[in-house]
Amino acid sequence: MFKAEPFVTRIAFVASDRPEAQEARANLASRYGDAARDEAQVIVALGGDGFMLETLHAQIESRTPIYGMNWGTLGFLMNEYSEEGLLERINAAERTVVHPLRMVAADVHGGVHRGLAFNEVSLLRQTRQTAKLRISIDGKVRLSELSCDGALVSTPAGSTAYNLSAHGPIIPLDAQVLALTPISAFRPRRWRGALLRHMAKVKFEILEAEKRPVSAVADNFEVRDVLEVHVSEDRDLALTMLFDAGRSLEERVLAEQFSS
């Protein structure tokens, strides 16, 4: 039997450090009230896409749905800002569930670091010299040596971000695939990346790690001088993002493929 979502009345507002976002937060809190985060039914995030990612990470434990409104430079993951009819917009919003990537990175000093990424895990050269990577998928070496500026694994939700800038494919949210995309590949020059099933386990080995140091970044968490990086989707973690009716994230990803 279908169970309706409860009507949202308790909202917690969070905002980026920008003065305009902080002012908007104060105005909205005065108008709609400002619930404690642990009591809120929805978190309203005021900022840009970077702040939306920060808010997603902050809500991993509570998993409270997040409704973003744009007060930043980019707003692909955000709704348009308006103080009018906020409760009606939230209660009519379309829901998108996102799963993060889990990164486990070992560095040259013996340290092991863990991070989560809702957009992508990227490997980047740290010096003027190209990085050299060996890439394995599900335990099998698929590319014995990639000379490049780096490489990344992107979620569908993140496929229109850094992945697209690196000429990776835009992925529909329900496609259940990940994008493996090289960044400025030098050899093999014609390799353009691969689409992987969403349960694939990706392993990067850094060749000549001391001579050609590489960093690994999971969203905004960076590890320097990595030796080996493992990336896989974490299906046990699921967060909900809310988008205005008719402007769902699925619609935005589709429309992006036809933008000039």
Side-chain angles (χ1 to χ4, degrees):
M1 181 177 177
F2 175 76
K3 183 179 179 181
E5 297 289 342
F7 189 83
V8 172
T9 57
R10 300 189 308 278
I11 303 172
F13 294 95
V14 295
S16 70
D17 293 335
R18 293 184 62 179
E20 303 94 330
Q22 288 292 326
E23 182 181 354
R25 181 193 179 282
N27 292 339
L28 289 165
S30 175
R31 184 166 183 173
Y32 295 99
D34 192 9
R37 291 196 200 183
D38 58 353
E39 296 177 356
Q41 295 166 283
V42 167
I43 304 292
V44 172
L46 305 168
D49 286 349
F51 186 69
M52 172 57 84
L53 289 177
E54 290 180 26
T55 307
L56 284 167
H57 283 276
Q59 298 306 130
I60 282 175
E61 294 298 326
S62 70
R63 306 193 189 186
T64 306
I66 302 168
Y67 178 91
M69 286 202 288
N70 189 26
W71 264 113
T73 353
L74 297 176
F76 189 82
L77 300 177
M78 313 300 275
N79 299 288
E80 291 184 7
Y81 178 81
S82 173
E83 293 183 14
E84 303 299 322
L86 181 58
L87 288 177
E88 290 77 9
R89 290 171 68 187
I90 289 175
N91 282 287
E94 300 182 31
R95 293 174 171 247
T96 295
V97 176
V98 293
H99 301 280
L101 299 173
R102 185 170 292 278
M103 176 187 81
V104 180
D107 65 33
V108 297
H109 310 292
V112 177
H113 312 267
R114 292 173 172 80
L116 294 173
F118 289 94
N119 266 5
E120 76 280 320
V121 172
S122 54
L123 278 70
L124 305 165
R125 66 183 176 113
Q126 294 178 194
T127 67
R128 61 180 177 81
Q129 291 187 302
T130 59
K132 288 190 176 182
L133 310 176
R134 178 180 296 128
I135 302 176
S136 300
I137 310 297
D138 295 327
K140 182 175 182 178
V141 175
R142 293 293 182 178
L143 201 54
S144 58
E145 184 175 306
L146 171 66
S147 295
C148 56
D149 280 355
L152 62 85
V153 179
S154 171
T155 66
S159 66
T160 59
Y162 192 11
N163 173 70
L164 181 59
S165 297
H167 306 291
I170 296 175
I171 305 172
L173 293 186
D174 58 357
Q176 294 194 331
V177 297
L178 304 173
L180 170 59
T181 303
I183 302 170
S184 300
F186 177 69
R187 187 177 295 112
R189 193 182 300 272
R190 296 185 182 278
W191 187 65
R192 293 293 181 263
L195 289 173
L196 311 174
R197 67 189 186 98
H198 71 102
M199 295 301 290
K201 299 185 184 303
V202 184
K203 176 183 175 182
F204 296 97
E205 296 171 84
I206 288 71
L207 309 178
E208 303 177 33
E210 292 189 4
K211 179 182 178 182
R212 304 169 184 271
V214 169
S215 66
V217 183
D219 282 351
N220 57 357
F221 172 66
E222 181 180 17
V223 181
R224 307 280 287 181
D225 302 315
V226 294
L227 187 62
E228 188 172 291
V229 179
H230 297 258
V231 182
S232 58
E233 186 184 60
D234 192 334
R235 298 295 290 186
D236 293 330
L237 285 178
L239 273 79
T240 301
M241 302 171 66
L242 303 177
F243 295 90
D244 286 333
R247 290 286 296 148
S248 67
L249 188 56
E250 290 88 343
E251 168 60 26
R252 297 176 192 208
V253 169
L254 178 60
E256 186 71 18
Q257 297 180 76
F258 294 91
S259 64
S260 56

